[in-house]
Amino acid sequence: MIVSNTGKYTVVSLLVNGSSQDIMIRSADTLLCTLRNQLGLTGAKQACGNGDCGACTVLVDGKPMHSCLLLTMEALNSGITTIEGLRHSPVRQAFVDNWAIQCGYCTPGFIVNGHALVTEHPDAEDERIEEWLQSNLCRCTGYQEIKDAIKSALNANNLLDSNGIDTAEQ
Amino acid sequence: MHYGSRTTVGFAEQRIDAVEKSTGNVKYLGDKSFQGMLHAKVATSTEAHARIKSIDTSEAWKVQGVRAIVTGKTFPFPIGPILADRPPIAFDKVRYYGEPIAVIVADHPYQAKQAAGKIVAEYEPLPIVNSVEQAFQKDAPLIHEQSGQYTKLIDNVYPVPGTNIASHVKIRKGEFGKAWAVCKDTISATYSFNLSDHAAMETRTATVEINSDGRVIVHSTSQSPFTIKKIFNQFFNLDVGKVIVHIPMLGGAFGGKGAVQLEPLAYLASNAVGGKLVKLQFEREEDMMTAPCHIGFNATVKLGVNEEGKLIAGQYTFLIEAGAYSDQAAGITRAAALDCTGPYHIPNVWCDSYCMYTNHPYATSFRGYGHPELTFAIERTIDQFADKLQMDPIEFRLLNVIKPGQTTPTQSILTPNNIGDAAKCMTRAKELIGWDGKQPIVSENGLVRAKGVALFWKTSTTSTNAQAGAILKFEADGTVTLTSAAVELGQGTKTILAQIAAERLKMNVSDIHVTMEVNTQYTPHQWRTVASSTTFLAGNAVLAAADDAIRQLKRIGAVALQCSEEDLDVGNGRVYIKAKPDIGINIETVALGYKYPNGHTVGGQVIGIGVHVQRHLTPMDKETGFGDPGPWWSVGAQAVEIEWDESNYHYKIVKAVTVLDGGTIINPMTAAQQMRGGIFLGLSIARGESFEFNEQGVIQNPDLRTYQLMRFGEQPDEYIVEFVETPAEDGPFGARGIGEYGVIGAAAALANGLSLATNVELTQLPLTPELIWRTRRAAYDPV
């Protein structure tokens, strides 16, 4: 795939939440920018634009990535899952049930990252939870309720499918 | 007052915004795009203090897509919420590194950003005022030469021309000098810390569009929609009614979104492109360097006791660092003065609170509005004094705690209604932290455990006519839509207001639909969503609206049921006869008026309207501070247990206790969220947050990598939150405000615990391992 780097747009297709979508990108477009501006998937937030806060976290082939640090063209051959594709994740419900949400701005990034953790490490202990979630910042909660939510989801351990993709929402 | 047993107030109703937020579907302002929208970017100053000789925009104009470039010449007038001292775009002078010098409008954000980088300004550098202490010196360079001529927008702001003092607020209670002379023992200590940042996860954003009929449509991430209207009216000469402000849910605010900065910039930008819709969204670095931040602080506290160990004299000198412009720091200067003693009864008080200009980014309100800062100074002094007097610090506090019947520094009389029970909070916090006076405890492996406590208070310093309104509109099915201008910024206010409405209307909270966004064209006026005032002001307005609706329901019900209104009651979705509850009608049959079988209809839609305005507040006297500045004082105690490692000076926070008396708690879970989040924020700031400035006054850590917020795993191992609920007669169901309070004692409690563990008096923030090392070296190993 050759994407113009002259500021002109190129039509490419991107696999997001299980469906392939045609989009127009510039070579400099980040995945975050494309998801938000081209596909209207605004659940991933820009809060630092620098990989420091995790508010833009999405899954790329199941791995949590900062979409502000990825170029869209780097993700063209991958399957991307955003918060919008995780409606039935037990992690999402656990955040609601455990009062882990206040302003809600960091929430999608935490849920996406937490979903990946629960999928990859269903037996995660405190140390791994801590290491995994240090990439995300929350300014409202003090993390206690987020920790409770992740732990309750780990205990429930009833994910829909092992790829972390919510088939019901495709 | 007795409302019978409650069905929703006092219960942990799920937040009405939680599910939608969890799905990522909530649209914050940055998530909204508008057809034909243009994008603005600010070009900013590269000097902290300089005269602007010229601004060359010619290269910027060559960038493709640029539609307009606005400089300070377009609107060379200062604006501000308290003292009008800040031009929206710098002209003549720049006063901080990062100050806007031009706004570029382009088709795409990247084009505007490219063009902003091509603005070339020529400066004549001026001497920089790089600290609040330097600003206070007599021969300091002047940052505002004309401060005596600035327009004052509210009472109680007193600039001192020819100095860097933007305001000087005084408290003179009793006879401090005489009392000081007879004190049995005294103490004096000085504290300081730098500016820091709110760091809400959502950066500030505003859009403005000017319609051809002159209406100005603003969308903003603001806590102050009606202040935007006021400022546009005062400074742009627009009709208040023609300025329409929309506020979606906010991604955190912490006081930082109470300031009005982006909206005037977006207005000038839109004006420059024929009124087209222009969006200005700050990136993180701009949000930290250009947008207003958290005050810096320097305090000297002197306390004196009599033979019994009772405090009889207190003197307080506060230097509040405002940065380049006074904004809300002028109000914080006043707020810090009027509560300067903390929750202690001190009959003789002398306070000088100064709002100081420096060549740093300007500060605005931050959760606690001066109180976390003054509490750090007061509570550290109390601990040091207790040590000097060889008293237990908690006993010393309980001996001096303020009680109903006594007066505040401004000589407001306290009653069981307007202040909570501070002693009870302290006693309970003592139990919860396991305070036994035996500390610090040093373990064999060099870990030192210690506990620190802090007692605090705060009133809600609103304007004297601060108010809120609420509308309860009955739907055809008998459910209710609640509209108010309370901004949902994460604190859960919409859920609280729904619970208050449901309780009074005796309905299910799920039958109250709450408008989550604010549109000033439809919502009643509300002062601002700040100062922990919303539950009290908007909550009381909701009660008034509910009572209004109940009157209407009874009036229509009396027709339908052929009885007098006095016979009726409303509840459980029905209007019914009190004495015979089985005789009644469903609310849905009267919600839009009662229709007789023949089709004739009486009544019409039930729309309850309520307003609540502050009662009997007064400005403070210029010379003595005498006055009634706030409606009530919520009080609380916090305690922190830390474990400090002697070998590397690092520490972890083991436990964080908060006990608050905020009157009746409407929702125990959202209240606990606020307390946990509050102490977390306070601890995060106290532990590691501070702007670092170089000699040129440039912030060295303007991003979330180098400016370190507390991350997951660094929070206390355990949070404990409890409430003492001394009801306030005039609060909704007895509630006072609680939103800011969790943050107030955090820094003080942490610093008290760490000072014990490390055996030095820590008087600065942030409490980094390096600061502890430096302080100990200075104390024990002076070079």
Side-chain angles (χ1 to χ4, degrees), chain A residues 45 50 52 92 103 139 142, chain B residues 22 28 31 705 711 719:
Chain A
K45 307 295 182 204
N50 206 24
D52 296 332
R92 188 198 65 71
C103 87
R139 193 63 157 166
Chain B
S22 74
Y28 301 88
D31 300 333
R705 187 162 304 176
R711 285 184 182 270
Y719 294 92

Side-chain angles (χ1 to χ4, degrees), chain B residues 21-274:
Chain B
K21 282 176 172 173
S22 74
T23 62
N25 283 340
V26 165
K27 299 289 182 225
Y28 301 88
L29 184 50
D31 300 333
K32 298 184 184 198
S33 63
F34 304 87
Q35 204 86 41
M37 167 169 93
L38 299 175
H39 297 270
K41 194 82 187 166
V42 287
T44 58
S45 164
T46 52
E47 296 285 332
H49 197 196
R51 254 185 223 290
I52 301 171
K53 290 170 76 178
S54 65
I55 294 177
D56 181 357
T57 60
S58 56
E59 287 302 308
W61 272 111
K62 291 177 187 165
V63 175
Q64 194 188 359
V66 169
R67 302 298 165 192
I69 298 176
V70 187
T71 63
K73 284 181 189 160
T74 308
F75 185 81
F77 308 105
I79 69 173
I82 294 174
L83 189 64
D85 61 5
R86 183 181 63 84
I89 306 171
F91 72 96
D92 185 32
K93 260 178 96 165
V94 291
R95 296 181 177 87
Y96 70 98
Y97 182 97
E99 181 170 3
I101 58 165
V103 182
I104 296 92
V105 186
D107 296 342
H108 295 287
Y110 70 88
Q111 295 167 332
K113 189 171 181 173
Q114 271 174 11
K118 292 179 188 289
I119 299 281
V120 181
E122 203 184 335
Y123 298 105
E124 176 194 327
L126 296 168
I128 296 166
V129 179
N130 212 4
S131 74
V132 71
E133 294 81 7
Q134 185 196 347
F136 200 62
Q137 287 166 7
K138 278 208 165 66
D139 56 352
L142 275 191
I143 297 166
H144 290 263
E145 296 84 350
Q146 312 295 327
S147 67
Q149 291 163 33
Y150 290 143
T151 306
K152 296 177 181 182
L153 289 111
I154 66 160
D155 299 312
N156 295 153
V157 56
Y158 310 110
V160 183
T163 74
N164 288 315
I165 300 168
S167 187
H168 177 194
V169 178
K170 301 176 201 170
I171 301 287
R172 305 287 183 259
K173 177 190 172 190
E175 297 192 64
F176 171 79
K178 277 187 185 170
W180 187 255
V182 301
C183 284
K184 173 78 178 6
D185 206 344
T186 63
I187 193 167
S188 174
T190 297
Y191 307 89
S192 66
F193 52 86
N194 268 343
L195 297 163
S196 53
D197 199 52
H198 303 84
M201 293 314 294
E202 175 198 43
T203 59
R204 296 158 173 96
T205 302
T207 74
V208 172
E209 176 182 14
I210 307 165
N211 284 351
S212 46
D213 62 1
R215 280 181 303 145
V216 178
I217 319 292
V218 182
H219 292 251
S220 173
T221 59
S222 174
Q223 298 171 259
S224 311
F226 290 90
T227 309
I228 295 170
K229 285 162 70 81
K230 187 175 160 190
I231 282 181
F232 276 33
N233 168 255
Q234 284 167 331
F235 297 105
F236 297 140
N237 204 21
L238 298 164
D239 292 347
V240 175
K242 285 197 167 175
V243 180
I244 298 156
V245 182
H246 300 255
I247 313 284
M249 281 189 261
L250 305 190
F254 313 110
K257 291 172 178 168
V260 179
Q261 183 192 34
L262 278 74
E263 301 84 357
L265 295 175
Y267 172 75
L268 294 171
S270 174
N271 206 32
V273 290

